[in-house]
Structure formats: structure tokens, C-alpha cells
Amino acid sequence: MDISSYSLAQPLTSLAVTLSPSVDSLLRQFWTIEEPSVPLIPTTEDELCNHWFTHTTTRDVSDRFCVALPFKDEISVGCNKNTADMNAPTLNHGLGESRNLALKRLYNLEQRLSKNADLYDAYRKFMNEYLSLGHMKLATRPGKYFIPHHAVIKQDGDLSKIRVVFDGSAPLSSGLSLNDVLCVGPKLQTDISNLLLMCRTRKFMFTADLVKMFRQIQIREEDCVYQHILWRQFPDYEVQEFELLTITYGLTSSPYLSIRCLHELDMREGHKFPVAKGSLIHNTCVDDIIIGRDTEEELLVAQDHIIRLLSTAGCTLKKWCSNSEKLINRVPPDDRAQRPSFDPKDESTVKVLGLHWNTQSDTFGYHTNIKETPLTKRGVLSTIAKLFDPIGALGPTILWAKGFIQVLWQDQFDWDTSLSPHLRTQWEQFATELPSLCNISLNRHY
């Protein structure tokens, strides 16, 4: 099956499958990954967002968190109201008509998926699971915002890992999208480089992933009307309207809301599980938990406490990985990580250099995935921007790549102009030598 056909550049309105993020977004991440962090000063909006979360977040009958979408106009007004008034949302927040756009995107999606039966089946399976797990339901009331959706798959073509992304940035007749009227919220995620640095000082370490983290958190009922989608199993079926009931991947506020819930859980329930207290705040990067201890006994207790703490909010862990055989033997085989990796989870591509952990030898190593790209400024940047080195071991390599980027800018190359013979020779030598970094093996514990 040829997945590459889905990576062709198309206007946003015709995208059915996304294989890679933009060069611009990758380049920003590449350039900032090594920069020293700047102390964050909360903005007024950030403070209002936290205040809004505190006064509108509840727990349902199963103790799962239920949050309100942080609309910009609502939090500024709502924070001057009493708690009861804060549960009376604004009518439409300036959003325009969205159903026609979502319907057009659905037709386009169907047309593209119909060219690949396996991909279409995987898409249906994802949506059916979404429905069966209670994360969405058939709508019983008109929606105030309809979110278009498309598929994201990894370049390895494994359709079992397909993820449907909901496009909250689709502009409407008003010129605004749902993401435009939502607060991003303050940055709460811990930098993975700091997590790995701390855990490398401990003899034993484990990592685990929160299962479907976003979808473990409910959206309050009155806000679900802004999370409607259109879908049908087959093109000859009637189009149906569904309502998404949980935090939705693709909305600008989702990372903040999910991480803020973890922090709240730690503050509310952490005292019951003292060994895990603080872990959801200081040892978690989005949905990755990374914890280190000096003895296996301490590590096993930490595992037990973090599992019990998360269970109080209906959350579970999978993809366990550890250099402790005792810990791994306590984990069902299906819940173990097959290939421990620290690649960013929000990217749809395999990094050119991905950091992997060999738990048997307790070492870190790099796996390359070099793909041939045009010898142009765009092609070069698409490769360089995917270099990922969270532990800072490849400083000379990254430095050379940054210098090469600067040369391309200084020489004012157009995006799709071929490199000069001199620069082409330099780049080809670099690209040829890059796979040799796979030979590097670093002790995880120092």
C-alpha cells in the first residue's frame, strides 16, 4: 500500500491525511530545543484561565474530571461573576456558520479515503471505538460549532496507529475559528530534557504512558455543542451529527486542560499516595511519566503509588518500560513498550534522529530515518528540523546544522532553488555521515 500519496501538499480544505507537520513548525522546535528556558511570567489571560479552571472544574460520579472550555470572552467576564453565573455560557462567542464547511470537508475526506480501502477501514474503526467508549454520542441538539476532521498516520504506514484529528483551526464565515476564541492557557508541561536529566542520576527508572489522556476528561455538557462533528460509515449512508464529550485533540486549549487536571489530581489526592506525590507535576511530560529511584524496592513502591493515584480519576498506564526486571514482570505483556523511545508524541513523523532506550544494557542510542529529499532549501530544512536530541549529546552535529541553515538564509536561497555545487557537496557529506550516529551508545545512568 502506498501511503506516500497522502503527503502531497494540498489546500487545508482538501486534506484527508496528514503525514508530517510543516517545515516552519519543525524548524521552530529544532531551534528552541537547546535554548535555555526563560522564566515564564503569567499573563493576565493565564491567570484568568487558571481562575476559570478552579471555579468551573468538577468531578463526575466516576470521579473523572469535567472541565469547561476556556472561551476568551467568557473567562474575562466569568471571573467577575459568582460560581453559579460562570456556568451560563455565552451564546456563540462570535463564531459564524460552520456546518457547511464541515460537510464539504467530510465529502472531500470520503473521496480521498475511498482510494485506499485499508485506510478507510482504519478510519471507521477509530470512529467506532470513539463511539463505543462513550467519548462521543449521536447529537440530540443542534451544534453551535462543527469541527472538520482528518487522519494522521506515521510514515511507517502502520494503520493501527491512525489518529483522527479534529481541526479546531478551520476558519468560519466570521473569519474566526474555534481555536481563535479559546484560551491556550499557561504552559504547564515539563520539558522532557529536564525529566531525563533528573532520572539519569537515579540507578533505576521507569516510563509509562497515560492511556488516551485527553479522552479521560469530560467537557461540561453546555460546552459540548461546540464540539459537533459530521460523520457516516459509508458515502451512501445519511450524514449524522455527533457530539464529542471529552477533551478533543486539535483544540488549542486541550493540552492546558489535560495537564492542569493532572496537577489538580496531584494536589487533591497526592497526600494519599506520598511516594507518588508531586510526580504528576514534576515527572510528567504531557502523557509521559518518567520516574527514577535509587533502589528497585523504591521504584516498585513508586509504581504502585502512581497507579493508585491515577486510578482515582479513572486513568490507567500502558507502554511500561524499565531497567528493573522486577517491575516489568509485574506488567502484563500487552502493556509493555515494544520499543522505548523519547520522540515527541505530537508529531506524525518518525524523527531523523530518535532517542531510544535499551533497557537491557541501560543505554541511550540514536536511530536514524533518513529519507531522500530534494537538494533545495526546503528539502534541507525538512531534514535538519527533524533532528531531535533531548539529552544534548549531539551538540557538534546540531551546531553544524544550525550554521548551515544560517548560510542558506545569508545566501538568500529561494525555497525550491537547487543548492550551489559547493553547498550541495557539504550537505551530501553531512547527510551521508548522519547515520553513523547510530553507533553512539551512552550510559543512561551516570
Side-chain angles (χ1 to χ4, degrees), residues 273-290:
F273 311 98
V275 177
K277 173 68 175 171
S279 295
L280 297 182
I281 299 175
H282 304 296
N283 294 92
T284 304
C285 179
V286 191
D287 60 352
D288 288 318
I289 293 179
I290 305 175

Side-chain angles (χ1 to χ4, degrees), residues 413-429:
F413 277 90
D414 292 331
W415 283 101
D416 297 305
T417 299
S418 296
L419 301 182
S420 63
H422 174 64
L423 292 179
R424 179 192 294 255
T425 300
Q426 289 187 38
W427 173 250
E428 287 178 338
Q429 180 178 347

Side-chain angles (χ1 to χ4, degrees), residues 23 373-384 404 408 413-420 423-424 427:
V23 172
T373 57
L375 294 177
T376 62
K377 178 178 176 180
R378 189 187 306 277
V380 166
L381 293 185
S382 68
T383 298
I384 288 179
F404 196 76
L408 295 182
F413 277 90
D414 292 331
W415 283 101
D416 297 305
T417 299
S418 296
L419 301 182
S420 63
L423 292 179
R424 179 192 294 255
W427 173 250

Side-chain angles (χ1 to χ4, degrees), residues 351-403:
K351 290 292 179 181
V352 171
L353 284 177
L355 180 65
H356 294 265
W357 179 24
N358 184 326
T359 56
Q360 299 300 314
S361 60
D362 200 15
T363 56
F364 285 144
Y366 295 90
H367 291 191
T368 58
N369 185 37
I370 304 295
K371 293 190 178 295
E372 188 173 342
T373 57
L375 294 177
T376 62
K377 178 178 176 180
R378 189 187 306 277
V380 166
L381 293 185
S382 68
T383 298
I384 288 179
K386 296 173 188 173
L387 298 177
F388 183 67
D389 178 31
I391 60 174
L394 305 180
T397 304
I398 302 296
L399 180 63
W400 187 93
K402 286 185 174 182

